[in-house]
Amino acid sequence: MTTRTFLSIPLAAAAFAAGLSLDLGARSTQAPTAASPLDPVVLKSYQWPSIGPARGGRSIAVTGVKGRPKEAYFGAVGGGLWKTTDAGENWTPVTDGQIRSASVGAVAVSESNPDVVYIGMGESCIRGNIMPGDGMYKSTDAGKTWTHIGFGNDSVDAISKIRVHPANPDVVFVAVFGKYGLNSEERGVFKTTDGGKTWKKVLYRDNKTGAVDIALDRKNPNTLFAAMCRRTASNTRCRAAARAAACSNRATAARRGPS
């Protein structure tokens, strides 16, 4: 297990404060009121303390849990999935001995059933040393037990992002990066409507272009936006910003997904 410190603390703290998943668009629909603005003096006093764990490892995946403001998960790219139930006072690894890969690159919790948790394995934030994964896992008991639900058999090195339908925990979209340096047919955006028993490829460009991010419109979950990253054996550096919108070498336009 890696001994580096957890680097995604601000995101985790934001998740605790909101009590929400960090999915794009997961914002409150309540209109802001001008009658009670936050005092600028109070805002200046805000700081981001490290909430650990010191030995959790580098992380690119973190989420809060809607309705459970003190509960959150983060995925370490070399240390599995970790969970807190007390707003970061204590962290517990919840996948040890249950998953084949130690690299968790994506995590999502169902809003309608917070006991349902999905994790995608492998690191899609490309750098000098990265760990591949072995597909997707699912928990239906808030992280106590895990079941492999696809993209195994060494067919996919990394799952980039997971988005769960806000009203149906069985409907899930995943951005599949594919293989790091080889052509791969298992790239693009995949969808399941049965909780991961079967998967359908719903967005595909070619065997060199993987999906790196998905945004889901929570008011109209049939509307999706996906970012794609084209990779070749001679061009293997993809900036971290690719996870949010594009890739340093090529990006495709966002497109609307199917219902």
Side-chain angles (χ1 to χ4, degrees):
M1 183 180 292
T2 180
T3 59
R4 297 174 186 167
T5 57
F6 175 41
L7 299 182
S8 296
I9 299 306
L11 294 177
F16 302 147
L20 296 172
S21 167
L22 292 179
D23 284 356
L24 297 177
R27 301 175 181 173
S28 172
T29 57
Q30 183 178 358
T33 58
S36 57
L38 286 175
D39 190 329
V41 176
V42 175
L43 289 176
K44 287 183 178 180
S45 67
Y46 281 180
Q47 295 182 357
W48 294 101
S50 173
I51 56 175
R55 297 177 65 85
R58 183 164 48 84
S59 175
I60 58 173
V62 61
T63 182
V65 180
K66 186 176 182 179
R68 301 175 182 176
K70 293 186 178 182
E71 191 169 307
Y73 300 85
F74 84 84
V77 296
L81 186 73
W82 294 65
K83 179 180 180 179
T84 180
T85 57
D86 54 14
E89 290 290 331
N90 297 280
W91 291 91
T92 303
V94 294
T95 51
D96 287 5
Q98 299 191 64
I99 60 177
R100 290 182 54 226
S101 170
S103 181
V104 177
V107 57
V109 181
S110 167
E111 294 184 31
S112 58
N113 183 354
D115 285 339
V116 176
V117 185
Y118 293 90
I119 56 175
M121 311 306 292
E123 186 176 1
S124 60
C125 186
I126 306 303
R127 46 180 271 140
N129 57 324
I130 51 178
M131 292 182 63
D134 65 320
M136 290 280 298
Y137 287 85
K138 177 184 179 181
S139 173
T140 57
D141 51 16
K144 294 178 181 178
T145 58
W146 295 89
T147 302
H148 192 269
I149 58 169
F151 305 101
N153 300 321
D154 197 35
S155 61
V156 171
D157 284 339
I159 303 292
S160 304
K161 190 71 70 175
I162 306 168
R163 300 296 189 196
V164 184
H165 192 287
N168 188 341
D170 289 333
V171 177
V172 183
F173 296 87
V174 296
V176 178
F177 189 88
K179 301 293 287 183
Y180 289 138
L182 300 174
N183 293 345
S184 170
E185 291 299 323
E186 288 201 50
R187 295 187 187 273
V189 177
F190 287 74
K191 177 184 179 181
T192 180
T193 58
D194 53 17
K197 294 178 182 178
T198 59
W199 294 91
K200 180 181 178 180
K201 188 186 296 182
V202 294
L203 176 60
Y204 176 77
R205 181 169 183 178
D206 56 44
N207 62 10
K208 297 182 177 66
T209 305
V212 292
D213 205 350
I214 312 173
L216 183 149
D217 184 346
R218 294 176 66 256
K219 294 182 178 179
N220 179 11
N222 289 333
T223 299
L224 298 169
F225 297 90
M228 311 289 281
C229 176
R230 181 177 173 85
R231 298 184 44 73
T232 64
S234 61
N235 186 1
T236 57
R237 285 194 67 85
C238 188
R239 297 180 182 177
R243 294 188 51 79
C247 191
S248 60
N249 49 0
R250 235 179 249 187
T252 63
R255 63 169 285 185
R256 187 180 296 261
S259 60

